[in-house]
Amino acid sequence: MELFLQYFFSGLTVGAIYALIALSFNIIYNTTSILNLAQGEFVVLGGLVMWFFLEKLKLPYGTSFLLSLSIGGLVGLAMERLTIRPVLKTADPLLLILITIAFSILLRGVLMFLFGKEPYGYPPLSEGEPIVLWGAVLQRQVIWIFIFVILIMIFLYVFFNQTMFGRAMKACAIDRVSAKLMGIKTTQMVMVSFILSGIFASLAGILITPITFVEYDKGPLLTIKGFTSAILGGLGSNWGVMAGGFLLGILESLTAGYIHSGLKDVLALLILLTMLLFKPAGLFQTAEQARLRKL
Amino acid sequence: MKKLFHNYYFSTLLFYLTILLLGFIIKDPYVITILIFAGLNALSALGLSLLMGLAGQISLGQNGFYGLGAYLSAIFALNYQIPVSLAVLLSALISSFLAIFLAIPALRLRGHYLAVATLGFGEIVYLLLNEWGPGGPSGFGNIPKLSIGGLVLEDPLSYLVLTWTIFCLFFLLLQNLSRSTFGKTLHALHSSEVALRTLGINILSLKLKIFIFSAFLTALSGALYAHFITFLSPANFSVFYSVLLLMMVMLGGIHTLWGAPLGALFITLLPEVLRPFKEYDVLIYGFILTISLIFFRKGIFQALEKGIKYVLSFRS
Amino acid sequence: MSFLLEVSHLSKAFGGHEVLKGVNLRIKQGTIHALIGPNGAGKTTLLNIINGLETPNKGRVFFKGKDITSLAPEKRAKLGIARTFQLLEVFSGLTVLENVMISLYAKNPWGFFKSLFLGDYFNPQERDLREKALFFLKEVNLLPRAHEEVQNLPAGEQKLLEIARAIALEPEILLLDEPAAGLNNRETRVLGEILKKLCENKKITILLVEHDMELVMKISQHVTVLNFGEVLAEGTPLEIQKNPEVIRAYLGEET
């Protein structure tokens, strides 16, 4: 039982990270129908930049944290401005996919150029002994990760339901053409979605690095995991993809614990393929719902 | 007669002879090896060019077929003593047969979903090769060389001839295909799948044929690679290979089959030119790919051609 | 009396919006049957259901007495149902001739390997296809445009191309979705003659969705009026013109 709980906790930890990545996928997907395959690189970016501010420049934790988030947002902005906007009008899906792949390679290259190939780590948000809960060990950083996930959920709820801008974005997600006719500046929405997405993905990186370390080439696998979570929960719904992230994290952790650790990545990919091929709308919504959400 | 000299048989022959001549003149085994790699890459890229350029379908899982072709052929020859040329053919056929199981459900997906589904497939093959492939992550060697009729192709020059001959044969066939009405039907997939369906065309079976054939070409290239290099490790079969192929096709020009050989030559030779900056290859690849996608969507060669014409128009 | 095409109690809703509410439609062999009605009456949806691009929520579609309600569009094409589109669906990037050749090829495909080994130059079937395609282009007066890329043609001629592409299948019934939209008076007259000729000489039954009343009244033998997803009236063009309900529906819309 303790062993199970231990696997469950570590599953929740990884799952929270997957949930954040899945969320950053979802935000861009909702406004543009683009799947940004550079998402994993943003996670790596967050961790590496945080290390730079915290360990290299010796800035205070809070300052480094905010600076790293802003860098994530800025790179998101740069990506949208420089690579997405020039081609968005052509609306050729093949081209848009290729562009996000190209940008992911570019970003990976830049990170390697700046940071080299070594793994990086830094201390967690708060020092202290791990917490023991029903015999299973829980690191303090994990508590922080949960707090941030909850904060983001609250933020998203308020943003999309209570603010004018968020509602406009929601309208844009539901029906881009009508939103445009109503005078909503859809290009602005696209921009904001890339910034938000960049911030969330780098937040995932900032939070996970003290637990697992980060290096320049971890991006692609994180992209796949985040995407699998999004597909599992059903692209289009923020709550769905969150749930998908946690579910994937737990399944992986149990597989690694009870069966074989090498299988956990294969499992994720098998889940991805199975979902894509047989239920692309996700576990929690019907195809009709997914279509209505994304007409 | 005049028409004959303008057609694709002639230009392909000319291209073929130029490559071989280059090999025979330079004679340096290192350069020849690079040219062989370029030929193998061209064969893989040809498969992708067919799929993306002609039929408008994306695949990021070509590394899976490349790996399957290479590993299967090597294992057949090494463990089951099947003659190498037969092993090559057999592995390419089996790989393309396996492609059916991915393709039937995957080709119902579109755009991003198809991209990620194929990406997932390639990644699975890569992980499985790492876990269960002979030698695991460190790979295995002593793979027999290719021999044709008792003649072992030891000499790189003979392998150069073989590689580019195979490439040019398939290149001609695919140019045939793209000019036939079947090829035009593939092209029509870009503009209206709905209209094709109302004409009575089974879209799925159309895409399926192309997907299988493209898997065949890439697996064949993988098998030929295995018996040239005689040592395999999973590292060469990661998703990065698929991305490289993508770059070849895009840079060479997606709207013409010529994009495959030209892009393959360019991308294979590029690291040799950039040897002093080897540490930053990822950065340079990423930069070139991003720029060319935004500015030269029809491939750099067409952009180059336009540029030259532009400059010449100032002269006169 | 048997009908070539029979649609019974057809209903279709998108989300909560009911587009068709129990529509019945029967089309006699060898006639031009017009389907008219204001915008949003559900005409295009009805065509989509007849050729299989959409499935109805309720009701059946019979073709030559056989129930084809759940048949895929490609299979219906093989049975002899062809169509054109209101919003053009031509194969851009290809020439007018190639567009029609694709249609002919779809009817009698010779397969992948033959194309692979013979290409276009060494395959005598390709030459036959070309000749035949030219013949169908002549039917719709598009011969002079044969070698132009379709996207460079004006919309009216692209509509004609869609007709050529559809009749190249040698169908039994042809579903036309607003073929006269974008055509000027003279072109519309020519279109009317083409359609009449197709019906009389080639024995192709035509279901014509059209807004141009002059054309409808001139060439069709039978008219069905659709209004808000329901059949408002049926009859000969003359009867429809005099039907007070139809007049009200149209005038009501105009004022």
Side-chain angles (χ1 to χ4, degrees), chain B residues 83-101:
Chain B
V84 176
S85 41
L86 190 64
V88 168
L89 196 65
L90 208 60
S91 72
L93 286 175
I94 292 177
S95 307
S96 36
F97 177 72
L98 291 175
I100 299 175
F101 296 97

mmCIF file with all atom_site columns, all heavy atoms in Angstrom, chain B residues 83-101:
data_model
loop_
_atom_site.group_PDB
_atom_site.id
_atom_site.type_symbol
_atom_site.label_atom_id
_atom_site.label_alt_id
_atom_site.label_comp_id
_atom_site.label_asym_id
_atom_site.label_entity_id
_atom_site.label_seq_id
_atom_site.pdbx_PDB_ins_code
_atom_site.Cartn_x
_atom_site.Cartn_y
_atom_site.Cartn_z
_atom_site.occupancy
_atom_site.B_iso_or_equiv
_atom_site.pdbx_formal_charge
_atom_site.auth_seq_id
_atom_site.auth_comp_id
_atom_site.auth_asym_id
_atom_site.auth_atom_id
_atom_site.pdbx_PDB_model_num
ATOM 1   N N   . PRO B 1 83  ? 20.665 -14.607 -47.714 1.00 0.00 ? 83  PRO B N   1
ATOM 2   C CA  . PRO B 1 83  ? 21.526 -13.812 -48.595 1.00 0.00 ? 83  PRO B CA  1
ATOM 3   C C   . PRO B 1 83  ? 21.179 -12.324 -48.488 1.00 0.00 ? 83  PRO B C   1
ATOM 4   O O   . PRO B 1 83  ? 19.997 -11.966 -48.436 1.00 0.00 ? 83  PRO B O   1
ATOM 5   C CB  . PRO B 1 83  ? 21.193 -14.340 -49.992 1.00 0.00 ? 83  PRO B CB  1
ATOM 6   C CG  . PRO B 1 83  ? 20.601 -15.684 -49.769 1.00 0.00 ? 83  PRO B CG  1
ATOM 7   C CD  . PRO B 1 83  ? 20.029 -15.722 -48.400 1.00 0.00 ? 83  PRO B CD  1
ATOM 8   N N   . VAL B 1 84  ? 22.205 -11.489 -48.474 1.00 0.00 ? 84  VAL B N   1
ATOM 9   C CA  . VAL B 1 84  ? 21.995 -10.092 -48.126 1.00 0.00 ? 84  VAL B CA  1
ATOM 10  C C   . VAL B 1 84  ? 21.002 -9.392  -49.066 1.00 0.00 ? 84  VAL B C   1
ATOM 11  O O   . VAL B 1 84  ? 20.108 -8.679  -48.617 1.00 0.00 ? 84  VAL B O   1
ATOM 12  C CB  . VAL B 1 84  ? 23.329 -9.335  -48.101 1.00 0.00 ? 84  VAL B CB  1
ATOM 13  C CG1 . VAL B 1 84  ? 23.097 -7.865  -47.824 1.00 0.00 ? 84  VAL B CG1 1
ATOM 14  C CG2 . VAL B 1 84  ? 24.233 -9.918  -47.032 1.00 0.00 ? 84  VAL B CG2 1
ATOM 15  N N   . SER B 1 85  ? 21.156 -9.643  -50.380 1.00 0.00 ? 85  SER B N   1
ATOM 16  C CA  . SER B 1 85  ? 20.275 -8.911  -51.299 1.00 0.00 ? 85  SER B CA  1
ATOM 17  C C   . SER B 1 85  ? 18.816 -9.306  -51.062 1.00 0.00 ? 85  SER B C   1
ATOM 18  O O   . SER B 1 85  ? 17.918 -8.467  -51.150 1.00 0.00 ? 85  SER B O   1
ATOM 19  C CB  . SER B 1 85  ? 20.683 -9.158  -52.745 1.00 0.00 ? 85  SER B CB  1
ATOM 20  O OG  . SER B 1 85  ? 21.011 -10.513 -52.931 1.00 0.00 ? 85  SER B OG  1
ATOM 21  N N   . LEU B 1 86  ? 18.609 -10.578 -50.704 1.00 0.00 ? 86  LEU B N   1
ATOM 22  C CA  . LEU B 1 86  ? 17.248 -11.036 -50.399 1.00 0.00 ? 86  LEU B CA  1
ATOM 23  C C   . LEU B 1 86  ? 16.764 -10.404 -49.088 1.00 0.00 ? 86  LEU B C   1
ATOM 24  O O   . LEU B 1 86  ? 15.614 -9.962  -48.984 1.00 0.00 ? 86  LEU B O   1
ATOM 25  C CB  . LEU B 1 86  ? 17.238 -12.562 -50.291 1.00 0.00 ? 86  LEU B CB  1
ATOM 26  C CG  . LEU B 1 86  ? 15.848 -13.193 -50.217 1.00 0.00 ? 86  LEU B CG  1
ATOM 27  C CD1 . LEU B 1 86  ? 15.081 -12.934 -51.499 1.00 0.00 ? 86  LEU B CD1 1
ATOM 28  C CD2 . LEU B 1 86  ? 15.962 -14.687 -49.942 1.00 0.00 ? 86  LEU B CD2 1
ATOM 29  N N   . ALA B 1 87  ? 17.676 -10.333 -48.112 1.00 0.00 ? 87  ALA B N   1
ATOM 30  C CA  . ALA B 1 87  ? 17.323 -9.754  -46.808 1.00 0.00 ? 87  ALA B CA  1
ATOM 31  C C   . ALA B 1 87  ? 16.893 -8.300  -46.967 1.00 0.00 ? 87  ALA B C   1
ATOM 32  O O   . ALA B 1 87  ? 15.932 -7.850  -46.338 1.00 0.00 ? 87  ALA B O   1
ATOM 33  C CB  . ALA B 1 87  ? 18.509 -9.856  -45.853 1.00 0.00 ? 87  ALA B CB  1
ATOM 34  N N   . VAL B 1 88  ? 17.603 -7.585  -47.827 1.00 0.00 ? 88  VAL B N   1
ATOM 35  C CA  . VAL B 1 88  ? 17.278 -6.169  -48.063 1.00 0.00 ? 88  VAL B CA  1
ATOM 36  C C   . VAL B 1 88  ? 15.853 -6.049  -48.592 1.00 0.00 ? 88  VAL B C   1
ATOM 37  O O   . VAL B 1 88  ? 15.030 -5.285  -48.077 1.00 0.00 ? 88  VAL B O   1
ATOM 38  C CB  . VAL B 1 88  ? 18.280 -5.548  -49.063 1.00 0.00 ? 88  VAL B CB  1
ATOM 39  C CG1 . VAL B 1 88  ? 17.783 -4.196  -49.544 1.00 0.00 ? 88  VAL B CG1 1
ATOM 40  C CG2 . VAL B 1 88  ? 19.641 -5.416  -48.425 1.00 0.00 ? 88  VAL B CG2 1
ATOM 41  N N   . LEU B 1 89  ? 15.579 -6.845  -49.609 1.00 0.00 ? 89  LEU B N   1
ATOM 42  C CA  . LEU B 1 89  ? 14.258 -6.776  -50.231 1.00 0.00 ? 89  LEU B CA  1
ATOM 43  C C   . LEU B 1 89  ? 13.162 -7.189  -49.248 1.00 0.00 ? 89  LEU B C   1
ATOM 44  O O   . LEU B 1 89  ? 12.128 -6.525  -49.120 1.00 0.00 ? 89  LEU B O   1
ATOM 45  C CB  . LEU B 1 89  ? 14.241 -7.691  -51.454 1.00 0.00 ? 89  LEU B CB  1
ATOM 46  C CG  . LEU B 1 89  ? 13.095 -7.445  -52.424 1.00 0.00 ? 89  LEU B CG  1
ATOM 47  C CD1 . LEU B 1 89  ? 13.233 -6.073  -53.049 1.00 0.00 ? 89  LEU B CD1 1
ATOM 48  C CD2 . LEU B 1 89  ? 13.072 -8.518  -53.501 1.00 0.00 ? 89  LEU B CD2 1
ATOM 49  N N   . LEU B 1 90  ? 13.459 -8.279  -48.536 1.00 0.00 ? 90  LEU B N   1
ATOM 50  C CA  . LEU B 1 90  ? 12.486 -8.833  -47.588 1.00 0.00 ? 90  LEU B CA  1
ATOM 51  C C   . LEU B 1 90  ? 12.162 -7.827  -46.485 1.00 0.00 ? 90  LEU B C   1
ATOM 52  O O   . LEU B 1 90  ? 11.000 -7.602  -46.148 1.00 0.00 ? 90  LEU B O   1
ATOM 53  C CB  . LEU B 1 90  ? 13.078 -10.102 -46.974 1.00 0.00 ? 90  LEU B CB  1
ATOM 54  C CG  . LEU B 1 90  ? 12.101 -11.164 -46.521 1.00 0.00 ? 90  LEU B CG  1
ATOM 55  C CD1 . LEU B 1 90  ? 11.277 -11.646 -47.693 1.00 0.00 ? 90  LEU B CD1 1
ATOM 56  C CD2 . LEU B 1 90  ? 12.852 -12.325 -45.875 1.00 0.00 ? 90  LEU B CD2 1
ATOM 57  N N   . SER B 1 91  ? 13.202 -7.193  -45.963 1.00 0.00 ? 91  SER B N   1
ATOM 58  C CA  . SER B 1 91  ? 12.983 -6.256  -44.852 1.00 0.00 ? 91  SER B CA  1
ATOM 59  C C   . SER B 1 91  ? 12.177 -5.048  -45.338 1.00 0.00 ? 91  SER B C   1
ATOM 60  O O   . SER B 1 91  ? 11.306 -4.548  -44.616 1.00 0.00 ? 91  SER B O   1
ATOM 61  C CB  . SER B 1 91  ? 14.306 -5.811  -44.256 1.00 0.00 ? 91  SER B CB  1
ATOM 62  O OG  . SER B 1 91  ? 14.959 -4.954  -45.137 1.00 0.00 ? 91  SER B OG  1
ATOM 63  N N   . ALA B 1 92  ? 12.453 -4.598  -46.554 1.00 0.00 ? 92  ALA B N   1
ATOM 64  C CA  . ALA B 1 92  ? 11.697 -3.451  -47.075 1.00 0.00 ? 92  ALA B CA  1
ATOM 65  C C   . ALA B 1 92  ? 10.236 -3.834  -47.269 1.00 0.00 ? 92  ALA B C   1
ATOM 66  O O   . ALA B 1 92  ? 9.329  -3.046  -46.955 1.00 0.00 ? 92  ALA B O   1
ATOM 67  C CB  . ALA B 1 92  ? 12.303 -2.971  -48.389 1.00 0.00 ? 92  ALA B CB  1
ATOM 68  N N   . LEU B 1 93  ? 10.007 -5.066  -47.743 1.00 0.00 ? 93  LEU B N   1
ATOM 69  C CA  . LEU B 1 93  ? 8.633  -5.511  -47.943 1.00 0.00 ? 93  LEU B CA  1
ATOM 70  C C   . LEU B 1 93  ? 7.898  -5.655  -46.613 1.00 0.00 ? 93  LEU B C   1
ATOM 71  O O   . LEU B 1 93  ? 6.758  -5.215  -46.473 1.00 0.00 ? 93  LEU B O   1
ATOM 72  C CB  . LEU B 1 93  ? 8.610  -6.833  -48.715 1.00 0.00 ? 93  LEU B CB  1
ATOM 73  C CG  . LEU B 1 93  ? 8.919  -6.726  -50.204 1.00 0.00 ? 93  LEU B CG  1
ATOM 74  C CD1 . LEU B 1 93  ? 8.985  -8.099  -50.856 1.00 0.00 ? 93  LEU B CD1 1
ATOM 75  C CD2 . LEU B 1 93  ? 7.869  -5.855  -50.899 1.00 0.00 ? 93  LEU B CD2 1
ATOM 76  N N   . ILE B 1 94  ? 8.586  -6.261  -45.641 1.00 0.00 ? 94  ILE B N   1
ATOM 77  C CA  . ILE B 1 94  ? 7.937  -6.446  -44.336 1.00 0.00 ? 94  ILE B CA  1
ATOM 78  C C   . ILE B 1 94  ? 7.635  -5.090  -43.690 1.00 0.00 ? 94  ILE B C   1
ATOM 79  O O   . ILE B 1 94  ? 6.552  -4.873  -43.148 1.00 0.00 ? 94  ILE B O   1
ATOM 80  C CB  . ILE B 1 94  ? 8.824  -7.302  -43.409 1.00 0.00 ? 94  ILE B CB  1
ATOM 81  C CG1 . ILE B 1 94  ? 8.899  -8.732  -43.955 1.00 0.00 ? 94  ILE B CG1 1
ATOM 82  C CG2 . ILE B 1 94  ? 8.282  -7.315  -41.981 1.00 0.00 ? 94  ILE B CG2 1
ATOM 83  C CD1 . ILE B 1 94  ? 9.787  -9.649  -43.166 1.00 0.00 ? 94  ILE B CD1 1
ATOM 84  N N   . SER B 1 95  ? 8.596  -4.172  -43.780 1.00 0.00 ? 95  SER B N   1
ATOM 85  C CA  . SER B 1 95  ? 8.360  -2.849  -43.196 1.00 0.00 ? 95  SER B CA  1
ATOM 86  C C   . SER B 1 95  ? 7.162  -2.173  -43.838 1.00 0.00 ? 95  SER B C   1
ATOM 87  O O   . SER B 1 95  ? 6.348  -1.540  -43.153 1.00 0.00 ? 95  SER B O   1
ATOM 88  C CB  . SER B 1 95  ? 9.585  -1.951  -43.375 1.00 0.00 ? 95  SER B CB  1
ATOM 89  O OG  . SER B 1 95  ? 10.716 -2.584  -42.884 1.00 0.00 ? 95  SER B OG  1
ATOM 90  N N   . SER B 1 96  ? 7.055  -2.293  -45.164 1.00 0.00 ? 96  SER B N   1
ATOM 91  C CA  . SER B 1 96  ? 5.928  -1.616  -45.796 1.00 0.00 ? 96  SER B CA  1
ATOM 92  C C   . SER B 1 96  ? 4.616  -2.331  -45.475 1.00 0.00 ? 96  SER B C   1
ATOM 93  O O   . SER B 1 96  ? 3.561  -1.706  -45.428 1.00 0.00 ? 96  SER B O   1
ATOM 94  C CB  . SER B 1 96  ? 6.122  -1.470  -47.310 1.00 0.00 ? 96  SER B CB  1
ATOM 95  O OG  . SER B 1 96  ? 6.773  -2.570  -47.853 1.00 0.00 ? 96  SER B OG  1
ATOM 96  N N   . PHE B 1 97  ? 4.718  -3.646  -45.207 1.00 0.00 ? 97  PHE B N   1
ATOM 97  C CA  . PHE B 1 97  ? 3.523  -4.363  -44.769 1.00 0.00 ? 97  PHE B CA  1
ATOM 98  C C   . PHE B 1 97  ? 3.084  -3.854  -43.385 1.00 0.00 ? 97  PHE B C   1
ATOM 99  O O   . PHE B 1 97  ? 1.908  -3.604  -43.134 1.00 0.00 ? 97  PHE B O   1
ATOM 100 C CB  . PHE B 1 97  ? 3.809  -5.868  -44.726 1.00 0.00 ? 97  PHE B CB  1
ATOM 101 C CG  . PHE B 1 97  ? 2.651  -6.680  -44.217 1.00 0.00 ? 97  PHE B CG  1
ATOM 102 C CD1 . PHE B 1 97  ? 1.513  -6.855  -44.989 1.00 0.00 ? 97  PHE B CD1 1
ATOM 103 C CD2 . PHE B 1 97  ? 2.698  -7.265  -42.964 1.00 0.00 ? 97  PHE B CD2 1
ATOM 104 C CE1 . PHE B 1 97  ? 0.445  -7.586  -44.518 1.00 0.00 ? 97  PHE B CE1 1
ATOM 105 C CE2 . PHE B 1 97  ? 1.635  -8.002  -42.484 1.00 0.00 ? 97  PHE B CE2 1
ATOM 106 C CZ  . PHE B 1 97  ? 0.507  -8.165  -43.264 1.00 0.00 ? 97  PHE B CZ  1
ATOM 107 N N   . LEU B 1 98  ? 4.076  -3.666  -42.487 1.00 0.00 ? 98  LEU B N   1
ATOM 108 C CA  . LEU B 1 98  ? 3.753  -3.153  -41.157 1.00 0.00 ? 98  LEU B CA  1
ATOM 109 C C   . LEU B 1 98  ? 3.159  -1.749  -41.244 1.00 0.00 ? 98  LEU B C   1
ATOM 110 O O   . LEU B 1 98  ? 2.338  -1.351  -40.406 1.00 0.00 ? 98  LEU B O   1
ATOM 111 C CB  . LEU B 1 98  ? 5.015  -3.130  -40.280 1.00 0.00 ? 98  LEU B CB  1
ATOM 112 C CG  . LEU B 1 98  ? 5.546  -4.509  -39.888 1.00 0.00 ? 98  LEU B CG  1
ATOM 113 C CD1 . LEU B 1 98  ? 6.856  -4.383  -39.124 1.00 0.00 ? 98  LEU B CD1 1
ATOM 114 C CD2 . LEU B 1 98  ? 4.519  -5.262  -39.050 1.00 0.00 ? 98  LEU B CD2 1
ATOM 115 N N   . ALA B 1 99  ? 3.573  -1.016  -42.265 1.00 0.00 ? 99  ALA B N   1
ATOM 116 C CA  . ALA B 1 99  ? 3.066  0.354   -42.436 1.00 0.00 ? 99  ALA B CA  1
ATOM 117 C C   . ALA B 1 99  ? 1.552  0.368   -42.559 1.00 0.00 ? 99  ALA B C   1
ATOM 118 O O   . ALA B 1 99  ? 0.903  1.332   -42.161 1.00 0.00 ? 99  ALA B O   1
ATOM 119 C CB  . ALA B 1 99  ? 3.708  0.995   -43.658 1.00 0.00 ? 99  ALA B CB  1
ATOM 120 N N   . ILE B 1 100 ? 1.000  -0.716  -43.106 1.00 0.00 ? 100 ILE B N   1
ATOM 121 C CA  . ILE B 1 100 ? -0.454 -0.766  -43.297 1.00 0.00 ? 100 ILE B CA  1
ATOM 122 C C   . ILE B 1 100 ? -1.175 -0.585  -41.974 1.00 0.00 ? 100 ILE B C   1
ATOM 123 O O   . ILE B 1 100 ? -2.158 0.134   -41.879 1.00 0.00 ? 100 ILE B O   1
ATOM 124 C CB  . ILE B 1 100 ? -0.864 -2.120  -43.926 1.00 0.00 ? 100 ILE B CB  1
ATOM 125 C CG1 . ILE B 1 100 ? -0.205 -2.279  -45.290 1.00 0.00 ? 100 ILE B CG1 1
ATOM 126 C CG2 . ILE B 1 100 ? -2.379 -2.207  -44.058 1.00 0.00 ? 100 ILE B CG2 1
ATOM 127 C CD1 . ILE B 1 100 ? -0.463 -3.620  -45.925 1.00 0.00 ? 100 ILE B CD1 1
ATOM 128 N N   . PHE B 1 101 ? -0.641 -1.238  -40.924 1.00 0.00 ? 101 PHE B N   1
ATOM 129 C CA  . PHE B 1 101 ? -1.333 -1.215  -39.641 1.00 0.00 ? 101 PHE B CA  1
ATOM 130 C C   . PHE B 1 101 ? -1.322 0.174   -39.007 1.00 0.00 ? 101 PHE B C   1
ATOM 131 O O   . PHE B 1 101 ? -2.220 0.522   -38.258 1.00 0.00 ? 101 PHE B O   1
ATOM 132 C CB  . PHE B 1 101 ? -0.720 -2.245  -38.685 1.00 0.00 ? 101 PHE B CB  1
ATOM 133 C CG  . PHE B 1 101 ? -0.894 -3.639  -39.181 1.00 0.00 ? 101 PHE B CG  1
ATOM 134 C CD1 . PHE B 1 101 ? 0.110  -4.287  -39.869 1.00 0.00 ? 101 PHE B CD1 1
ATOM 135 C CD2 . PHE B 1 101 ? -2.101 -4.291  -38.992 1.00 0.00 ? 101 PHE B CD2 1
ATOM 136 C CE1 . PHE B 1 101 ? -0.074 -5.565  -40.353 1.00 0.00 ? 101 PHE B CE1 1
ATOM 137 C CE2 . PHE B 1 101 ? -2.290 -5.568  -39.479 1.00 0.00 ? 101 PHE B CE2 1
ATOM 138 C CZ  . PHE B 1 101 ? -1.270 -6.204  -40.165 1.00 0.00 ? 101 PHE B CZ  1
#
